[in-house]
Every structure is written in C-alpha cells, then in structure tokens.
Amino acid sequence: MRLIIRDDPKAVAYYTANYVRQRINEFKPTRKRPFVLGLPTGSTPVEVYWHLVDYYKRGEVSFRHVITFSMDEYVGLPRSHPESYCAFMHRHLYDHINLRPENVHMLDGNADDLAAECQRYEDKIKEVGGIELFLGGIGPDGHIAFNEPGSSLESVTRVKTLAYETVLANARFFGGDVNKVPKLALTVGVGTVRAAREVLLIITGAHKAVALAKCIEEGVNHMWTVSVVQLHPSAMIVCDEDATLELHVKTVRYFKSIEQVQEQLIGRQHIGLKGSISKLASSDPADSFGSGVLPPAAATASKD
C-alpha cells in the first residue's frame, strides 16, 4: 500500500485527478477494451471531478471508452431529487464529459426488488471484465461507500442500514433535518471494492485522522472497513497533512521518505504510475543514485 501525503485538500484533489487522467491515458481504452472506473459520491471527490471535467474540456483526456460504476445510492429517494447520488454524479461529472449513456451504471434505489437490483449490479461489473480502478472516500468511522463498521470484509453489493452517525453527517445535505435523510442505501460491498484491480482512496481532514491511523498502523478490522486495503495488492491512499494527525511521526516520515527516494534518487521516469519500478538509471548501483551517497535526511532515516 502506498500513502501519498499532500499539504491540503486542494493538493489532494489535484494529485488524484491527475493520477486518474494518466491511468486512463496510459490504458488507451477502446470500445472492445474499455477502462472501468468505480466512482464515489459525497463531498470529498467533488473537486476531483471538477479537475477531470477541466482535463476533458482541454482535450487532455477522453471518457468515450470509459465505463463507470457509482458506489452507492439511497433507497426510496427519487433519482430526480437533488440529493440523490444519481443527480450528484450527473451534476458534478457525467453531464460535463463525453461518457456514453450506456456506459454509465448506477444503482436504482427505487427498484421493486432491491436484492435483485444488487445482484444485477454485481453481474454487470463481471460482464464488463471487472473494475480497473476504484476511486473512493471514507467516513470518519472508516467506512467505504456505505459499508458501515461491522460490515463483512467479503460483502458484495447489497441493501445496508445506515449508522446513526452517518445519518447525522448527511443531514447537512437535507437542510439539517435528520428525518429527511434516507435510512437505507444500496452499496457496493467491501468485497466488491477489493475485487478491483486497483483501489485509490482520498482521505482529508482532521476528522478522518483516527480512521487513517486505524487503516495504516493497526490490523485489518471489520469495525474499520477501510483497513481492508492492507490486503489489496495495488492500493493507494492520498491524504492531506491534517489527516495524518493521529499517525506516529515515524510513520509519516517513512512514507514521505519513500516518495523522496522515488522522486529524487530513482527518478520518476523509472517508476510506473502504480509504483512499479521498471529499471534503474544505470547498471551500476552507485551511478543509479548519482554520487551513490544518500541525502542527509534519507541517510539518517536508513539508520533507524
């Protein structure tokens, strides 16, 4: 797992959107080989979507051969309701880019048979070959999508009762009235997220610092569903400085030093987008690191 730390939420959004843009372009999607993208709702990814729209308008990325799957949807809220996640995704992203309508997939919280709707969603993901990149945010209690604490780490798309804290947190979108917030939602499962070939999580703000610490420094725990990314072979978390407030200082220094070595000593040109190292600059290890001497900060870290 990689942890990328940036100064503030704006820098996190820029880094994340640029990463998604590069992944799509590197993939070179076609109609027969589309790029399948899982997307979150909520306030955290909004600025990421703004950047993606801007990249599209500037001709720097195309979504013509991208297939999307949204993470969740409220049960019983009309799709036309401004706070439905269907309306959210269209408002912030889908209406501004060249996604084909048939490539946009969202859960139907008004389906007559909710269980059948969830199974249909899982089947559709499999039909298109699985999700290439799942972009997600988390709640202060560490939940991914609407997989609240206690959710099975093998769960798939299903109906979920929302925790009271989640209802309270979402009341701000309903005029502060908790009675207007839906109490049920359809959500992809923890297992659905894990099945993606890559997972990228955005975590910002001091109110999510405990969740990040639980994810990074403690074991996998179904009470903190975000911690499941520890088991994923290709997972990355992009966070801001405030989100690291509950991490040990040595943990923050460690992840920053990894990025420093990659950027300054190995060279970004030798590292793939997903962090794989293709080659060193030279067959001589000393030459690969310039003079062969680590900068003072890195040299000190190597002795700890």
Side-chain angles (χ1 to χ4, degrees):
M1 178 173 60
R2 291 189 289 162
L3 179 66
I4 304 297
I5 303 169
R6 291 295 178 263
D7 290 341
D8 53 41
K10 288 187 176 296
V12 168
Y14 177 79
Y15 181 95
T16 303
N18 189 48
Y19 182 85
V20 173
R21 176 185 67 85
Q22 290 184 75
R23 282 283 282 114
I24 293 172
N25 288 339
E26 182 182 73
F27 191 87
K28 295 181 175 61
T30 63
R31 179 182 281 274
K32 292 184 177 180
R33 183 175 174 267
F35 188 92
V36 186
L37 185 60
L39 294 173
T41 51
S43 57
T44 302
V46 168
E47 197 161 351
V48 174
Y49 295 154
W50 293 348
H51 283 302
L52 289 176
V53 170
D54 188 50
Y55 288 140
Y56 163 69
K57 290 181 175 179
R58 285 167 20 197
E60 296 178 13
V61 68
S62 172
F63 296 88
R64 183 171 177 79
H65 299 303
V66 172
I67 295 176
T68 64
F69 286 88
S70 297
M71 274 190 161
D72 39 35
E73 181 57 277
Y74 287 121
V75 169
L77 202 64
R79 285 196 165 193
S80 58
H81 191 287
E83 296 307 329
S84 76
Y85 288 140
C86 173
F88 173 95
M89 292 304 300
H90 278 280
R91 183 165 63 248
H92 292 292
L93 184 64
Y94 295 160
D95 288 347
H96 311 288
I97 57 178
N98 63 334
L99 268 174
R100 297 171 183 265
E102 64 270 24
N103 286 346
V104 174
H105 300 286
M106 290 180 279
L107 286 156
D108 183 0
N110 295 286
D112 292 333
D113 188 333
L114 294 177
E117 169 64 7
C118 293
Q119 185 59 55
R120 178 196 68 80
Y121 212 62
E122 286 286 330
D123 292 343
K124 189 64 182 180
I125 291 173
K126 292 175 183 175
E127 181 184 315
V128 300
I131 293 172
E132 180 67 25
L133 172 63
F134 223 131
L135 178 65
I138 68 165
D141 59 4
H143 69 257
I144 303 176
F146 277 132
N147 294 288
E148 306 282 16
S151 294
S152 167
L153 301 183
E154 297 296 331
S155 58
V156 293
T157 305
R158 67 203 188 287
V159 183
K160 192 75 178 67
T161 302
L162 304 186
Y164 186 65
E165 289 75 13
T166 301
V167 173
L168 286 178
N170 289 349
R172 69 188 188 277
F173 301 118
F174 294 85
D177 189 347
V178 295
N179 295 313
K180 293 181 180 179
V181 184
K183 310 307 184 293
L184 296 175
L186 302 185
T187 180
V188 296
V190 182
T192 311
V193 176
R194 284 182 61 189
R197 286 181 280 280
E198 183 180 12
V199 177
L200 195 171
L201 298 181
I202 316 165
I203 303 178
T204 59
H207 62 302
K208 297 182 180 179
V210 172
L212 179 61
K214 292 286 184 181
C215 174
I216 297 294
E217 296 182 338
E218 297 189 16
V220 177
N221 187 335
H222 69 296
M223 296 305 292
W224 298 87
T225 54
V226 64
S227 65
V228 78
V229 298
Q230 295 180 32
L231 303 176
H232 200 283
S234 184
M236 177 168 65
I237 295 174
V238 186
C239 71
D240 65 354
E241 290 285 354
D242 283 351
T244 69
L245 291 176
E246 294 291 335
L247 291 175
H248 291 100
V249 173
K250 65 181 180 181
T251 300
V252 175
R253 286 180 175 171
Y254 168 75
F255 281 104
K256 285 184 175 180
S257 74
I258 291 293
E259 189 173 8
Q260 180 185 31
V261 168
Q262 290 182 336
E263 293 284 352
Q264 298 179 10
L265 304 183
I266 296 176
R268 173 51 57 185
Q269 69 273 24
H270 302 304
I271 301 173
L273 270 178
K274 297 167 69 173
S276 60
I277 300 174
S278 58
K279 63 179 180 178
L280 293 178
S282 165
S283 58
D284 183 345
D287 290 342
S288 301
F289 293 92
S291 64
V293 179
L294 292 173
T300 302
S302 69
K303 298 175 183 176
D304 290 344

